[in-house]
Amino acid sequence: MKRWSELFNLPETNFHFCGDEYIYAEISREMRVESNFKALAVTEELRRRNIPGIIDIVSSNASYLVRYNPEVISARDLADYVKEIDFTKSDPAGLDLSVRIVEIPIWYDDPVTKEYSRRFRNRHQEPDLSNFDYVMKVNGFTDKQAFIEKHSSLPYLITMVGFLPGTAWHFPLGAKPSDIIQAPKYKSPRTDTPERSVGIGGAFNVVYPVQGTGSYQLIGMSAVPVVDLSDRLMDLKDTAFLARPGDIWKYRPVDESEYTAIQARVSSGDYRYKMKVIDLSPIEYIAKGKEYIEELMGDF
């Protein structure tokens, strides 16, 4: 069996000591789904082993970070542990991941994000266009419905969680580079962004978990929260945060009427997220691409 780096032409992971509490592992300097699969597999195994002295483990788009207590475990000993796990996860046959597919209902081209486009037009590349219309334009769309169908047809892999708690960067799966909807960020960040707004920056999508600053192009509003501090929603009882690295989010377009109805169910605590658990095989994905993703999604 060829090693991961030979099969998918990934370089060897580079390890760095950061101060006296961190080990940083860089798999690749560019965003590649293969790199993210490996980062997820390594960090999952590190958590499973529950090594004494490890304080925190964070996976990123193409790297991962381990924080440790040097009074409990030495940097060199931990580095040996991490390198050994990283080496074993270089075998694609051992990288199956248990993840969830989660549906995110979204009202595209809604009045809220249109208003924010207007408010912060002086920070935008094309101040006379809404963010939605701008993203359509830079991706060559002239028909609104065609754009919505394209954006919502792809499932998105959560490659990283962070920045603000509950923020999940997600990247389209199964698409050729020419089919990925992309957009540059604002020239200068907004000082305000509505909670649950859906944005695009580069090839990444994000649902803003709370109100705050932001620079992604806003194309719609999620009808459901990705953070629930009220403890109302059954699916978020164990954790207030919906996003998990490695999960797959699937957007579903809704109109104003359904958006309002879903929000009412969220407010009453009756809403249940549509989701299912699947086994994701990175080697199957790399070998079959879009066909494999369509098999996984089924009739979801």
Side-chain angles (χ1 to χ4, degrees), residues 32-45:
R32 299 176 62 178
V33 173
E34 306 96 303
S35 302
N36 189 250
F37 284 148
K38 181 174 178 178
L40 291 170
V42 172
T43 52
E44 183 179 278
E45 178 65 15

Side-chain angles (χ1 to χ4, degrees), residues 63-75:
S63 60
Y64 56 93
L65 183 73
V66 181
R67 185 183 181 190
Y68 62 96
N69 183 346
E71 295 182 359
V72 177
I73 187 170
S74 73

